[in-house]
Each structure stands twice: as C-alpha cells, then as structure tokens.
Amino acid sequence: MTIKYTKEHEWLRVEGNIGTVGISDYAQEQLGDIVFVELPEITKKIIKSDTVAVVESVKAASEIYAPVGGEICEVNQALEDNPEKVNAAAMDGGWFFKLEINNIDDLDDLMDEATYKEYVEGLE
Amino acid sequence: MSDNNNQALKQTPLHALHLQHGGKMVAFAGYELPVHYQEGIIAEHLHTRKEAGLFDVSHMGQLILRGDNVAAALETLVAGDIQQLAADKLRYTVLTNDNGGIIDDLIVTNHASHLHLVVNASRKELDYNHIASKLQGRCTLEERHDRALLALQGPAAAAVMARMAPACRHILFMTAQPLKVAGVPCLVSRSGYSGEDGYEISVPADDVEHVARLFLGEPEVKPIGLGARDTLRLEAGLCLYGNDINETTTPVEAGLSWTVSRRRRAEGGFPGADVIVAQISDGVKRKRVGLRIAGKAPVRAQAEVMDNDSNIIGEVTSGGYGPSVGGPVAMGYVDVADAQPGSEIKFMVRGKLLPGRVEKLPFVKHRYVTR
C-alpha cells in the first residue's frame, strides 16, 4: 500500500477509496509526549486541508489537516484511552481516522516516501 | 537557533552539556534552553518525583544587594519581612507596584553582609533597573554574571547531596549553606520549584559544567528540561510570573497574602501597601484557584472559565497535563463567589464547554523537609 505525505506531516494510505490518516514519526517526535487526541465525528464531511483533528502534547495543541477530502467513516477509538500510541506507533497503530475519499485528484500534490524523507531532512 | 527577531539567543554555561544529552533546545526568556532531553517531559517529570532531577536554571538572575540597613532598604520595594529574616534563611517574596500588583516574585537569602536575590529570567533586567534606581545612593546592586544556578529536586536529592558534598549539614527547607561541592565553593539552599525536597545550588559559572557532570554521574540523577519544570510547578500549585501573577494581580488575589507578615501589614512601607492591606481586610473580587478538568483534554492559559449558566467567571492562567496527576490540571482566577473548592465550572475550549471544578492547591502534596 503506497503511502503519501503532506507538508504538515500527515500520512495517508489508500485502499480502494478508503484513506487512513495519521501523523508521521517525525511529527510525533517534534510534538513530544501526546496526552490527548480530539477526533472528528463519523460521517463528518471534510475538504482537503480542513482541520480535522487536534493533537495535544504536554506543551501545546496542534491541528491535523485533511490530506484529501471525503467523509469520515472510522476513528481510532484506542487513542481516547491511550493517546501515547501516537508516539509509540505513529505510522500504524497510532492512526487517527479513515475516510471515504471523494476526489482522488486531491492526492496529486502529496509527497511520496522518498520526497517526504528529503523534505524532512531539509527541515532539520 | 534564533528567535523570530533574529536576535541571537543567550546560552548558559551548560549549553554544550545540554546538546550532549540530547536536549531539544528552544527559546525561553531570551535563552536557548532544553525543553526536554531524550526521555521526554512526562518521563523527566515522573523521574523527578521518584528519584532526583537536575535542572539548569542559570538563566535566572542572581543579584547581590549591599548597603547599610540593606534589609530595611529592600523592604521599601517588597511586601515580605526581610528585616527579621535570620542569617542563612531564604524568603519567597514579591516586588510590588503602586497598585499592589506584582512586578516579580523572587527568593531573598540573608547572607549577613548582603542579600542574595534570585529573580525570574524574563524580569531580571526590569527588576535590576527598578531596584537599582529606587535604592540608588542607599544600596549597591550587582548582577552576578559569573555565577550559574542548578536545581536538584526529588526525594533522592538529599542522599545525592550528602554524597556530593560530605560537609553538607542537614539544613531544613528555606535555609542556605555555603558548601564545597567537588571542591568548588557553592551556595546551596534547600529550596526549589517542584514541590519536592531538593536544593538550588549557585555555582561559579566556570565550574558549573564540571559540577553538573558530577551530579549527573550519580545513579539517581537525570537531566530535566523546562517542560517538566513547568509540569512539576503546576502540579505543586506554584505561580509562574507572566502567567499566574503579573503587574495587574495583587498578592492577595494570587493567594500569596501569607508573604505579607503581620508587621508589614501593620506598618506598610512598600508600594501598593494600602491596596493590599485593604484587600486582606475587606476581601478580593477574584482569586487564584486550582482547576480540575473532568475529561482528558488539557485546558490552557487564556481559556475562559464559565459557571453553569455560561456566565464568564474567570480565566485560566496556567494549564496543561499533570503527569503525576495523570490528567489535565490548571490554575486561574475565578470570581470569589465561585472560588470555593468543589464549585462546578466549565471551560471554553475550541468552541466547546468542558466540565470541571475548582480544586484546592496543590494538586500534588508538597514534600518539603521542614523538620
């Protein structure tokens, strides 16, 4: 399953028309210990770049933006009791939400793995 | 790393040590300091309450005030009792303005020949100018740029100090002792900003890296960053200048009336004394209180506090996650009618009203060694 990234460090994996969204390992490390995640409501309709979720670290709140537009169909309930999962498993178990993608063209400007890696190296 | 204005950040003498220990450096009060090291804020906080943490607080201002009747002179600027502060004793007090507001909170130590003041980094330049100009001709004020400051906090701190400085006497909380630590002449006080037992150690800047490395070599000691310093003091109910106290808050509103002794209430003689004394006798309109959040979402500074009818009754001044509490905690000012512990309140966070209640401070019991 190919993975795509945004400049704001969200990742997206697409299977059929369902996208799973999380934040990158780089992002969780920058944020530090995560203590709370505010997830969207299921059936919420979002457009690309909308603020969809909020992740609270010890020091501050950060917004999570939609890499693509669609309708929220599932959220990661495990994060309610264990927000630290985002730190421990940002790239898989720490996923935030799934959505039914409504416009596949939204993926066009997302970065692939190699491009994102270069992008992050440029930030450090 | 520089701030938005491209003004170079100052570094403390422990800068290289912070980098070596994997410190994540951020800008704070014009200094480059570690917000945490490799383990992160929660682990560092918990370690401090379990064993011992070493903090670099060299950014704070260390000021020496000398003169005839220096204690009486300083009393013209602070609300606390300095004249009756015994030699080698420390006192927490506040510099006040003419409205009874707080210019800064500070620790004063009586060293007989002089007073040693430790002030907040964000206020030290202002404090220096204020004190020096007000006491001009009466006292001399010197900032000790040649001294660094370490804090060793936690239940294991005393055992570590006994090993690091065998001549260490069993001094009680808020007492100072000049002491050689690894042969380096330091000033050690049993005090801190975590609610735990511990020490603050004034070390010559040229020797502080050596001393810090020795402390870090002790099995119980880990380096702790500013992030955990903040979560520790928040759980301990201690004020952060600029957040919980400022020039518009009086010590009475801030729950710091205890810093104004009976004699000072009777005699006054400090800026805003009339306002403060009136508030002590007549009461205040708002009070600093502890705030417990019912859910898991942190509530941060500047969030509005509302009553059950959605009237705004206050504002959060400090808030975040408390690792020892295991959930979000906050402090803020609330209208006195709603300030009783147990009062049900709501916080406005991202357009939603989150339930909570007023709670007595501290959230985590202090463990000062007072006897």
Side-chain angles (χ1 to χ4, degrees):
Chain A
M1 201 186 307
T2 48
I3 188 165
K4 296 282 194 184
Y5 293 86
T6 68
K7 282 204 160 70
E8 288 73 37
H9 310 286
E10 290 92 14
W11 57 256
L12 170 74
R13 286 193 180 96
V14 181
E15 207 171 2
N17 75 329
I18 305 292
T20 305
V21 179
I23 63 170
S24 68
D25 201 49
Y26 171 81
Q28 70 75 20
E29 209 187 312
Q30 292 302 305
L31 289 171
D33 295 324
I34 287 163
V35 298
F36 179 76
V37 180
E38 190 183 294
L39 293 169
E41 295 286 328
I42 293 177
T43 73
K44 187 176 165 129
K45 289 177 172 53
I46 54 174
I47 59 175
K48 185 180 163 84
S49 303
D50 269 357
T51 299
V52 187
V54 177
V55 68
E56 293 260 19
S57 68
V58 175
K59 293 299 294 179
S62 296
E63 291 178 331
I64 305 304
Y65 306 103
V68 294
E71 187 176 308
I72 306 290
C73 56
E74 204 183 325
V75 297
N76 189 354
Q77 299 282 14
L79 298 186
E80 203 185 322
D81 285 332
N82 297 102
E84 67 278 4
K85 246 189 139 159
V86 180
N87 294 117
M91 298 305 301
D92 38 69
W95 64 276
F96 280 50
F97 60 86
K98 294 186 202 274
L99 72 166
E100 280 175 31
I101 300 171
N102 61 12
N103 181 11
I104 208 74
D105 292 341
D106 281 350
L107 273 87
D108 288 350
D109 66 346
L110 300 180
M111 292 180 264
D112 63 17
E113 183 91 61
T115 312
Y116 178 67
K117 194 159 179 267
E118 255 178 60
Y119 170 64
V120 165
E121 273 160 22
L123 295 171
E124 296 192 296
Chain B
M1 183 179 165
S2 48
D3 68 8
N4 292 337
N5 293 332
N6 279 326
Q7 278 179 326
L9 291 171
K10 291 181 269 201
Q11 293 177 353
T12 71
L14 293 179
H15 186 79
L17 185 69
H18 295 318
L19 296 178
Q20 264 175 34
H21 280 270
K24 181 168 172 171
M25 307 304 277
V26 296
F28 183 82
Y31 282 83
E32 198 177 342
L33 284 162
V35 62
H36 60 76
Y37 299 87
Q38 300 201 321
E39 295 197 20
I41 297 176
I42 293 178
E44 291 173 24
H45 171 117
L46 294 173
H47 181 84
T48 305
R49 293 219 191 282
K50 186 159 177 271
E51 296 190 61
L54 188 73
F55 303 72
D56 176 11
V57 288
S58 304
H59 52 302
M60 300 187 79
Q62 296 184 61
L63 312 178
I64 304 293
L65 192 65
R66 289 180 205 273
D68 290 336
N69 302 314
V70 63
L74 186 59
E75 279 196 0
T76 63
L77 302 179
V78 302
D81 191 332
I82 310 301
Q83 293 195 73
Q84 280 160 27
L85 181 62
D88 290 340
K89 290 294 187 185
L90 281 67
R91 183 143 290 157
Y92 173 70
T93 187
V94 291
L95 285 157
T96 54
N97 63 32
D98 291 334
N99 298 321
I102 298 171
I103 291 175
D104 202 6
D105 62 338
L106 66 152
I107 298 278
V108 179
T109 304
N110 179 5
H111 285 299
S113 65
H114 62 273
L115 296 174
H116 181 250
L117 280 54
V118 178
V119 296
N120 286 300
S122 63
R123 304 292 281 175
K124 63 182 177 177
E125 203 179 307
L126 190 149
D127 292 344
Y128 181 93
N129 292 334
H130 172 68
I131 298 171
S133 66
K134 293 286 186 191
L135 300 186
Q136 192 173 43
R138 200 171 162 179
C139 296
T140 60
L141 185 66
E142 187 197 345
E143 184 177 354
R144 294 302 296 265
H145 299 282
D146 61 327
R147 299 198 73 86
L149 194 64
L150 297 173
L152 181 72
Q153 302 283 297
V160 171
M161 187 59 77
R163 252 180 270 139
M164 287 281 294
C168 169
R169 286 183 280 116
H170 178 69
I171 52 172
L172 295 176
F173 183 58
M174 299 303 269
T175 311
Q177 181 191 358
L179 196 55
K180 278 205 178 152
V181 180
V184 175
C186 295
L187 192 66
V188 174
S189 64
R190 202 150 188 186
S191 57
Y193 193 49
S194 63
E196 298 296 323
D197 182 27
Y199 301 86
E200 291 171 312
I201 307 147
S202 176
V203 189
D206 290 343
D207 300 301
V208 70
E209 188 177 329
H210 172 63
V211 171
R213 286 186 191 283
L214 289 176
F215 273 114
L216 292 172
E218 293 295 301
E220 303 95 328
V221 183
K222 290 192 180 185
I224 312 294
L226 291 179
R229 183 167 163 82
D230 190 38
T231 52
L232 287 161
R233 69 94 195 163
L234 177 60
E235 287 187 342
L238 302 173
C239 292
L240 173 61
Y241 192 87
N243 280 48
D244 312 298
I245 50 177
N246 58 41
E247 297 230 29
T248 73
T249 63
T250 69
V252 191
E253 292 169 323
L256 301 177
S257 314
W258 58 268
T259 64
V260 191
S261 69
R262 207 169 287 275
R263 175 176 68 82
R264 303 248 44 212
R265 293 177 196 194
E267 293 177 8
F270 55 94
D274 47 345
V275 173
I276 289 168
V277 169
Q279 284 186 349
I280 290 174
S281 68
D282 303 337
V284 286
K285 293 200 174 74
R286 57 175 184 164
K287 281 174 73 167
R288 179 178 66 99
V289 294
L291 299 165
R292 178 72 72 138
I293 294 91
K296 297 188 187 165
V299 172
R300 307 208 186 250
Q302 284 152 40
E304 285 169 338
V305 180
M306 338 263 280
D307 64 15
N308 280 329
D309 298 317
S310 297
N311 300 309
I312 297 173
I313 55 165
E315 187 183 274
V316 175
T317 53
S318 283
Y321 182 75
S324 300
V325 169
V329 288
M331 295 197 300
Y333 287 81
V334 165
D335 291 345
V336 71
D338 300 287
Q340 285 309 302
S343 287
E344 285 187 2
I345 47 153
K346 295 203 194 311
F347 306 97
M348 178 65 86
V349 176
R350 292 186 283 272
K352 287 201 197 98
L353 286 173
L354 303 181
R357 61 175 193 274
V358 174
E359 188 166 305
K360 202 163 175 306
L361 291 166
F363 296 103
V364 173
K365 224 163 99 89
H366 294 166
R367 298 199 283 181
Y368 303 139
V369 176
T370 54
R371 69 180 81 172

